[in-house]
């Protein structure tokens, strides 16, 4: 019993597997049929739409061309009826043996032909012989004495009707459109007036249709075409009777008219048809038995139809995929429902663990927040201390320069005191001119003292760093001014290669001035024992290899005692100094380094060739690009 139950279960599983395979094959087959069918339907509809658009566009060109051809060819059809109105023509037909009448009639026809611009105008008697012609000197069927009684245009005009048809000249091989009209003397037809119109103007208008085109006559023979190898071919399979008739009338001279290169066109009169994979549009010419046929290549139409077929196929495939996605989504939804029950059991344990971890994270976050706050306060204190340190260094420099500044101010003050006393005496005496001179001198001395005090005030002012484009030459000038008395006392030669307005850097002017004062002061200390002290200041724009950023290189160079290797290694350490004890705190270069780093720059030191030291500042030449 158990074995039978196991076999039945296995059989059920096998049948279920077979059912799933059959279902997959069926679904796949339906999907393929849907995609292929959609592509085919899209191709058919796309081809129909594109062919319709192509036909609409081509019809406009074809109608315009047909109207142009009719205008070019039929514009001279009125000429033959007017010929019989000339009395010289009737006189010639009444008396054809009179040479003077022949000369007069031919002269008239030549003038008429020159006026209307046709190929030839000529007159025939009732036997079909040319008796007067506009170009009797040219070999053609308009030549004097030529018998053209076999031409259809003569036979139709002789019977009283207007004759129109295409023909190639008998001897000249020049094609043309012949129009004839009967010449009556009373009630009898005594002759025929004919005109030959050139097709050259038609050949010059083929570019209007922008596609292969041709012109056929009533015999379905191509009489002109934009493709020369199509000319004088037949669109239909000609019968023996038609070939005999063409030989008798010599419409196409003695040419053998072969079949059209693209094969026979069974219905040339249809407005639209397909021939050899091309769409052929046909237009009859008003008042003529000719037709214009335009051949349109359907390559672009088929490409567009294939593109639409591809789009339809992709859309159908997308629809199939969407259905599959929906089915798969339902399957995934069922799986999620099954998995949700399994997750509910583990969710309680997970929530308890998350609660414990959340508490730990909250504590850690509070600690981190507290630490960040402490660091921010420490950074604020550090920045404040740094600003105070910079200001203290400024005051220290001003203290060092106090003696020189006092000397600079003492002389103008003494002069002002003397001049003011003199002015008082001049005022008491009423001597106004000397009084005015003393006051002018006092004013000039006051301005001189202001020029001394203003840079000191700007330098001593406490302010936060504000980065902007500053003039390096002006900063050099201000720094040198503060050391003016000391430079003159030491006899230092100053070589400043950077005049005002020649170089700019992105930094704070007041703090850069502080750095330069520190470096110039150190240079003067180093040159205290130098016989011929020389201070060199340079600034030039440069860039580093591989960088687009521009830098300003500032150099402060002296020819002093220089630095030892050990001193160079410890130069930027706090409280390190090479001066005598009590002469400095060893913080000037440390402060200078921090200031330059605040500019996003660098400071370095190197030995000068020939002895001495060179400090190099690298500061951005331009601000950040916004």
């Amino acid at each position: 019993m158990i074995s039978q139950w196991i076999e039945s279960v296995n059989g059920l599983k096998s049948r279920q597997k077979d059912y799933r395979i059959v279902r997959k094959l069926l679904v796949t087959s339906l999907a393929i049929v849907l995609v292929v069918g959609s592509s085919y339907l899209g191709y058919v509809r796309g081809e129909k739409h594109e062919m319709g658009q192509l036909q609409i566009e081509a019809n406009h060109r074809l109608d315009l061309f047909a109207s142009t051809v009719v205008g070019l060819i039929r514009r001279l059809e009125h000429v033959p009826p007017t010929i019989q109105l000339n009395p010289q023509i009737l006189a010639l037909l009444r008396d054809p043996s009179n040479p003077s009448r022949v000369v007069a009639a031919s002269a008239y026809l030549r003038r008429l032909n020159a006026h209307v611009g046709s190929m030839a105008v000529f007159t025939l008697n009732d036997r079909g012989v040319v008796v007067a012609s506009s170009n009797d000197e040219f070999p053609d069927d308009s030549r004097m004495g030529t018998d053209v009684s076999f031409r259809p245009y003569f036979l139709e005009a002789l019977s009283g009707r207007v004759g129109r048809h295409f023909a190639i000249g008998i001897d000249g091989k020049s094609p043309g459109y012949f129009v004839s009209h009967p010449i009556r003397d009373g009630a009898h037809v005594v002759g025929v007036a004919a005109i030959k119109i050139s097709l050259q103007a038609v050949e010059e208008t083929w570019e209007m249709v922008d596609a292969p085109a041709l012109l056929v006559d009533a015999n379905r023979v191509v009489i002109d075409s934009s493709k020369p190898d199509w000319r004088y071919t037949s669109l239909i399979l000609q019968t023996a009777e038609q070939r005999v008739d063409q030989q008798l009338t010599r419409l196409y001279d003695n040419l053998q008219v072969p079949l059209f290169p693209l094969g026979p066109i069974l219905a040339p009169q249809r407005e639209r048809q397909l021939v050899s994979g091309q769409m052929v549009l046909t237009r009859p010419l008003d008042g003529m038995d000719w037709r214009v046929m335009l051949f349109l290549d359907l390559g672009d139409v088929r490409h567009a139809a294939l593109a639409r077929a591809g789009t339809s196929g992709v859309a159908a495939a997308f629809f199939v995929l969407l259905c599959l996605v929906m089915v798969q989504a339902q399957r995934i939804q069922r799986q999620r429902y099954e998995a949700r029950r399994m997750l509910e059991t583990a969710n309680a344990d997970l929530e308890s663990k998350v609660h414990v971890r959340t508490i730990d994270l909250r504590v850690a976050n509070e600690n981190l927040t507290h630490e960040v706050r402490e660091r921010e306060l420490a950074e604020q204190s550090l920045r404040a201390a740094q600003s105070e340190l910079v200001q203290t260094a400024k005051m220290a420099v001003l203290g060092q320069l106090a003696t020189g500044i006092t000397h600079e101010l003492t002389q103008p003050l003494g002069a002002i005191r003397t001049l003011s006393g003199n002015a008082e005496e001049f005022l008491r005496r009423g001597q106004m001119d000397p009084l005015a001179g003393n006051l002018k001198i006092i004013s000039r001395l006051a301005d001189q003292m202001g020029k001394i005090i203003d840079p000191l005030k700007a330098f001593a002012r406490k302010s936060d760093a504000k980065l902007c484009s500053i003039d390096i030459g002006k900063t050099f000038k201000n720094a040198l001014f503060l050391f003016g008395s000391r430079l003159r006392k030491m006899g230092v030669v100053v070589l400043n290669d950077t005049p005002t307005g020649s170089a700019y850097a992105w930094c704070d002017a007041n703090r850069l001035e502080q750095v330069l004062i520190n470096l110039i002061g150190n240079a003067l200390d180093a040159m205290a024992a130098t016989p011929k002290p020389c201070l060199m200041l340079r600034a030039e724009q440069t860039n580093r290899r591989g960088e687009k950023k521009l830098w300003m290189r500032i150099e402060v160079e002296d020819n002093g005692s220089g630095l030892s290797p050990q001193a160079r290694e410890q130069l930027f350490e706090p409280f390190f100094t090479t001066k005598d004890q009590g002469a400095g705190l060893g913080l000037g270069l440390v402060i200078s380094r921090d200031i330059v780093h605040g500019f996003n720059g660098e400071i370095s030191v190197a030995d000068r060739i020939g002895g001495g030291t060179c400090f190099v500042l690298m500061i951005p030449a331009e601000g950040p690009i916004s």
Side-chain angles (χ1 to χ4, degrees):
M1 294 294 292
I2 295 176
S3 61
Q4 292 178 355
W5 180 78
I6 293 174
E7 289 178 358
S8 63
V9 171
N10 292 334
L12 179 61
K13 290 182 178 180
S14 177
R15 287 193 297 273
Q16 290 178 346
K17 183 177 180 181
D18 294 340
Y19 170 74
R20 287 195 296 269
I21 294 174
V22 172
R23 186 177 62 182
K24 288 182 179 179
L25 291 175
L26 181 61
V27 170
T28 303
S29 300
L30 290 175
I32 294 174
V33 170
L34 178 62
V35 172
V36 174
S38 300
S39 299
Y40 176 74
L41 182 61
Y43 180 84
V44 172
R45 295 184 63 182
E47 185 181 38
K48 182 178 179 181
H49 173 75
E50 294 296 329
M51 289 183 68
Q53 293 296 322
L54 181 63
Q55 182 177 356
I56 291 173
E57 180 184 354
N59 280 335
H60 292 303
R61 289 183 282 140
L62 189 57
D63 291 340
L64 179 61
F65 178 74
S67 301
T68 303
V69 171
V70 171
L72 292 174
I73 295 179
R74 299 195 61 188
R75 62 188 177 88
L76 300 179
E77 285 190 356
H78 66 281
V79 174
T82 64
I83 294 177
Q84 69 174 348
L85 300 178
N86 189 281
Q88 297 175 349
I89 299 298
L90 283 176
L92 172 64
L93 293 176
R94 291 170 183 168
D95 186 12
S97 60
N98 190 336
S100 61
R101 297 187 184 279
V102 174
V103 173
S106 296
Y108 163 71
L109 293 180
R110 278 194 295 274
R111 292 193 301 273
L112 178 63
N113 183 61
H115 178 70
V116 299
S118 60
M119 294 183 71
V121 182
F122 51 97
T123 303
L124 304 92
N125 59 19
D126 56 358
R127 295 188 303 277
V129 178
V130 178
V131 295
S133 176
S134 63
N135 56 348
D136 52 346
E137 69 273 14
F138 295 107
D140 207 337
D141 49 3
S142 60
R143 186 175 57 181
M144 293 287 294
T146 303
D147 183 1
V148 293
S149 58
F150 55 88
R151 290 292 198 186
Y153 65 82
F154 168 75
L155 299 175
E156 291 179 3
L158 191 63
S159 62
R161 298 188 301 272
V162 177
R164 300 183 182 90
H165 71 79
F166 168 86
I168 299 176
I170 296 175
D171 298 322
K173 309 298 182 184
S174 56
Y177 179 61
F178 290 85
V179 180
S180 61
H181 196 275
I183 299 176
R184 290 181 172 88
D185 188 2
H188 301 285
V189 176
V190 296
V192 173
I195 185 172
K196 183 178 182 181
I197 303 171
S198 173
L199 300 182
Q200 182 64 34
V202 177
E203 295 181 359
E204 296 175 355
T205 58
W206 287 119
E207 295 181 357
M208 293 176 57
V209 294
D210 193 25
L214 54 83
L215 195 65
V216 297
D217 62 4
N219 296 323
R220 303 297 184 261
V221 174
V222 180
I223 58 177
D224 201 0
S225 173
S226 60
K227 301 186 71 171
D229 57 335
W230 287 4
R231 295 176 185 174
Y232 307 124
T233 59
S234 177
L235 300 182
I236 60 176
L237 293 172
Q238 294 184 341
T239 63
E241 182 181 354
Q242 289 174 326
R243 290 195 295 271
V244 171
D245 183 64
Q246 292 174 9
Q247 291 178 357
L248 293 176
T249 58
R250 298 177 62 183
L251 294 180
Y252 314 107
D253 198 21
N254 292 322
L255 295 176
Q256 295 294 329
V257 181
L259 187 62
F260 187 58
L262 300 182
I265 300 179
L266 302 180
Q269 70 279 5
R270 291 180 57 183
E271 290 189 0
R272 168 182 165 180
Q273 57 185 311
L274 295 178
V275 176
S276 299
Q278 301 184 51
M279 183 167 63
V280 182
L281 301 180
T282 304
R283 286 290 183 280
L285 301 183
D286 294 339
M288 303 174 65
D289 54 3
W290 292 5
R291 295 178 185 273
V292 177
M293 303 182 72
L294 181 64
F295 291 75
L296 301 175
D297 187 10
L298 300 181
D300 294 338
V301 172
R302 293 190 178 92
H303 291 161
L306 288 174
R308 179 168 291 192
T311 303
S312 301
V314 170
F318 177 77
F319 175 75
V320 172
L321 290 176
L322 183 61
C323 294
L324 293 177
V325 169
M326 294 177 63
V327 172
Q328 188 67 18
Q330 292 179 355
R331 184 180 302 169
I332 293 174
Q333 189 67 23
R334 290 194 298 268
Q335 293 176 354
R336 287 179 177 176
Y337 179 76
E338 295 294 333
R340 187 179 303 162
R341 292 185 300 174
M342 298 175 62
L343 291 174
E344 288 177 353
T345 305
N347 189 41
D349 296 337
L350 182 60
E351 286 182 355
S352 61
K353 293 180 180 179
V354 169
H355 180 69
V356 174
R357 292 290 181 88
T358 302
I359 295 174
D360 295 340
L361 288 174
R362 186 181 298 113
V363 173
N365 187 38
E366 291 176 355
N367 294 334
L368 182 60
T369 303
H370 180 69
E371 183 179 351
V372 169
R373 189 179 298 111
E374 290 181 348
R375 290 197 177 187
E376 289 178 350
L377 293 175
E379 289 180 359
Q380 292 177 1
S381 300
L382 181 60
R383 284 195 293 269
Q386 187 180 23
S387 297
E388 292 294 335
L389 191 59
V390 170
Q391 188 65 20
T392 302
K394 288 182 180 181
M395 295 300 104
V397 171
L398 289 178
Q400 295 174 5
L401 301 175
T403 303
I405 295 170
T406 301
H407 178 72
E408 295 289 340
L409 294 176
T410 299
Q411 291 180 347
L413 282 173
I416 290 173
R417 185 181 299 109
T418 301
L419 292 171
S420 61
N422 294 338
E424 183 179 0
E425 180 64 24
F426 288 141
L427 181 62
R428 186 180 62 81
R429 295 178 181 180
Q431 297 178 353
M432 295 302 171
D433 291 340
L435 173 62
N438 282 5
L439 292 177
K440 288 182 179 179
I441 296 173
I442 291 173
S443 177
R444 179 172 55 79
L445 292 174
D447 291 340
Q448 180 178 345
M449 294 171 64
K451 292 180 180 179
I452 296 173
I453 294 172
D454 287 343
L456 295 176
K457 289 168 60 180
F459 177 69
R461 185 182 300 117
K462 182 178 180 181
S463 61
D464 296 331
K466 184 178 181 181
L467 302 184
C468 61
S469 182
I470 63 105
D471 187 349
I472 301 299
K474 184 177 179 181
T475 307
F476 280 171
K477 181 179 178 181
N478 292 341
L480 291 173
F481 172 79
L482 296 176
F483 287 99
S485 177
R486 187 175 176 186
L487 291 170
R488 289 191 295 272
K489 183 178 179 181
M490 292 178 61
V492 178
V493 177
V494 178
L495 301 179
N496 182 6
D497 294 341
T498 310
T500 302
S502 62
Y504 293 86
W506 188 261
C507 58
D508 180 80
N510 194 270
R511 296 205 170 189
L512 178 61
E513 187 175 328
Q514 171 67 39
V515 174
L516 293 175
I517 288 173
N518 287 339
L519 297 179
I520 293 173
N522 290 341
L524 295 179
D525 292 340
M527 294 187 297
T530 303
K532 294 181 181 180
C534 180
L535 176 67
M536 287 151 282
L537 303 178
R538 283 187 293 271
E540 62 178 355
Q541 186 173 286
T542 183
N543 57 357
R544 296 176 177 176
R545 180 175 299 178
E547 290 187 7
K548 295 182 179 180
K549 183 177 180 181
L550 296 177
W551 294 84
M552 184 58 62
R553 179 185 176 93
I554 301 174
E555 296 181 359
V556 179
E557 187 174 291
D558 64 74
N559 60 346
S561 57
L563 294 171
S564 64
Q566 181 180 1
R568 189 180 295 107
E569 292 179 359
Q570 298 178 299
L571 195 60
F572 294 102
E573 294 181 3
F575 306 108
F576 174 79
T577 179
T578 58
K579 301 177 182 178
D580 296 337
Q581 186 173 2
L585 297 176
L587 294 176
L589 290 179
V590 176
I591 295 173
S592 299
R593 180 196 61 189
D594 293 342
I595 290 174
V596 174
H597 286 176
F599 302 156
N600 296 319
E602 298 175 0
I603 182 171
S604 61
V605 63
D607 291 333
R608 176 181 175 273
I609 299 175
T613 306
C614 178
F615 282 88
V616 180
L617 307 181
M618 294 294 289
I619 301 175
E622 299 174 342
I625 299 176
S626 57

